[in-house]
């Protein structure tokens, strides 16, 4: 096991860093969705294209 870690430590570090970036991106998307920020990155109340993003229910 130690030999495997010694031979592949760079790959493991890159994989952990990539997983962290994906986790942070997903967390930001979820927080923005809960805050009501649209997919374009702005709040829908001031967006001229809000009628195209979210249809009235």
């Amino acid at each position: 096991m130690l030999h495997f870690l010694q031979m592949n430590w760079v790959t493991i570090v890159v994989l952990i860093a990539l997983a962290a970036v994906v986790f942070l991106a997903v967390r930001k998307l979820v927080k923005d969705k809960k805050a009501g920020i649209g997919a374009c990155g702005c709040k829908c109340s001031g967006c001229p294209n809000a009628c195209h993003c979210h249809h009235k229910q």
Side-chain angles (χ1 to χ4, degrees):
M1 181 69 171
L2 186 58
H3 179 65
F4 174 79
L5 292 176
Q6 288 175 340
M7 296 301 293
N8 297 305
W9 70 272
V10 174
T11 303
I12 294 168
V13 169
V14 169
L15 196 62
I16 290 171
L18 183 62
V21 169
V22 169
F23 171 77
L24 292 173
V26 170
R27 188 177 76 171
K28 171 116 172 72
L29 288 172
V30 169
K31 286 176 72 175
D32 286 351
K33 180 76 171 173
K34 286 182 180 180
I37 298 174
C40 59
C42 64
K43 294 193 184 278
C44 290
S45 62
C47 181
N49 293 321
C51 62
H52 301 290
C53 294
H54 305 283
H55 298 287
K56 302 262 183 194
Q57 296 180 356

